[in-house]
Amino acid sequence: MNATNATNGANASGTNATNITDPEAVLERIRFTDAGLVPAIIQQWDTREVLMMGWMDAEAFRRTMSEGRVTFWSRSRKEYWRKGDTSGHVQYVKGVALDCDGDTLLVTVDQIGAACHTGTRTCFDADVLEPALGASPEIEAADL
Amino acid sequence: MNATNATNGANASGTNATNITDPEAVLERIRFTDAGLVPAIIQQWDTREVLMMGWMDAEAFRRTMSEGRVTFWSRSRKEYWRKGDTSGHVQYVKGVALDCDGDTLLVTVDQIGAACHTGTRTCFDADVLEPALGASPEIEAADL
């Protein structure tokens, strides 16, 4: 019976719970800051908009990996903050990746409504700067 | 003559230098960490891939705003690091935005070659995790 269940893949609730990565094994290779936090970039899975950045401690990471919802650690309020619980602007987890040196997470989500507490779709919509633009010289691209 | 030049827009080098945002005015509203750094998410401008995250101090931000190339502060080497100077994997600046609470930058770039020092296109390609997936209930989306 156990062997059958193990190879079955899907479970009764329809989630992929039998296949998920064990968060504890990942925690060993996350390089948290001295404050015990890791930055998490949140990206809309289909449009690929960068929605916001938040911070997670080990427990927020565990919850995000296991609940299908993104949980942050709020540095200002010093409490867990499951995105959307008060605003309704839920972030449903679509994917998680850890970067090459283990100090940044990329979480792809399906964002309901506005990601930003100001009501804009992303947290980067309101303060757009005008840098000096760089242009790729044709010769440089061709040399690679 | 000055008035004519000021309304002209383009300059002899073909950059948009006459229209760029003054970095000093932006520095006043960036909330740097205690270490004097701000995280910068780097995104490919057209495919919208999240390529990497790096850190900037005030001077790295000034250079990124004015040079058309992305410069970071390397926390491990404790030096400025203009992306591509040694690897050839240049990041040409396409846009910069500051987030709603002033503590994260989003820099869109044209990335030449691999963004990651390991040789992969992005820093998030190698350690892809399998979280429990969240699904948007139809009723929740309709309620908003």
Side-chain angles (χ1 to χ4, degrees), chain B residues 8-66:
Chain B
N8 191 14
N11 62 19
S13 67
T15 70
N16 63 336
T18 55
N19 303 317
I20 71 169
T21 307
D22 177 9
E24 304 307 321
V26 182
L27 285 171
E28 293 174 9
R29 58 182 190 274
I30 297 182
R31 291 168 55 202
F32 291 97
T33 67
D34 292 343
L37 300 174
V38 62
I41 302 166
I42 310 297
Q43 182 181 34
Q44 174 67 23
W45 73 281
D46 50 359
T47 64
R48 295 187 142 184
E49 298 160 284
V50 175
L51 299 170
M52 58 177 288
M53 199 186 79
W55 293 83
M56 295 183 187
D57 66 357
E59 178 59 20
F61 173 74
R62 283 188 196 100
R63 295 183 189 182
T64 299
M65 287 293 291
S66 63

Side-chain angles (χ1 to χ4, degrees), chain A:
Chain A
M1 292 262 296
N2 284 335
T4 304
N5 286 340
T7 55
N8 191 15
N11 62 19
S13 67
T15 71
N16 64 337
T18 56
N19 302 318
I20 72 169
T21 307
D22 177 9
E24 303 307 321
V26 182
L27 285 171
E28 294 174 8
R29 58 182 189 274
I30 297 182
R31 291 168 54 204
F32 291 96
T33 66
D34 292 343
L37 300 174
V38 62
I41 301 166
I42 309 298
Q43 182 181 33
Q44 174 67 25
W45 74 280
D46 49 0
T47 64
R48 294 186 145 185
E49 297 162 285
V50 174
L51 298 171
M52 58 176 290
M53 199 185 80
W55 293 84
M56 296 183 187
D57 66 358
E59 178 59 18
F61 174 73
R62 284 188 196 100
R63 295 183 190 182
T64 298
M65 287 294 290
S66 62
E67 292 182 358
R69 295 269 304 273
V70 177
T71 293
F72 300 103
W73 174 256
S74 169
R75 295 177 299 171
S76 54
R77 297 195 304 271
K78 301 194 189 309
E79 62 182 20
Y80 293 105
W81 159 44
R82 191 167 75 161
K83 181 75 176 169
D85 276 353
T86 54
S87 66
H89 297 166
V90 173
Q91 291 174 342
Y92 292 103
V93 174
K94 291 286 188 177
V96 180
L98 183 64
D99 79 341
C100 56
D101 54 3
D103 65 4
T104 307
L105 292 165
L106 177 61
V107 182
T108 49
V109 303
D110 192 11
Q111 169 72 55
I112 305 299
C116 188
H117 73 285
T118 65
T120 57
R121 174 66 177 171
T122 91
C123 290
F124 299 97
D125 292 346
D127 199 353
V128 178
L129 312 177
E130 297 287 341
L133 301 181
S136 326
E138 293 294 325
I139 190 168
E140 277 197 43
D143 283 349
L144 291 172

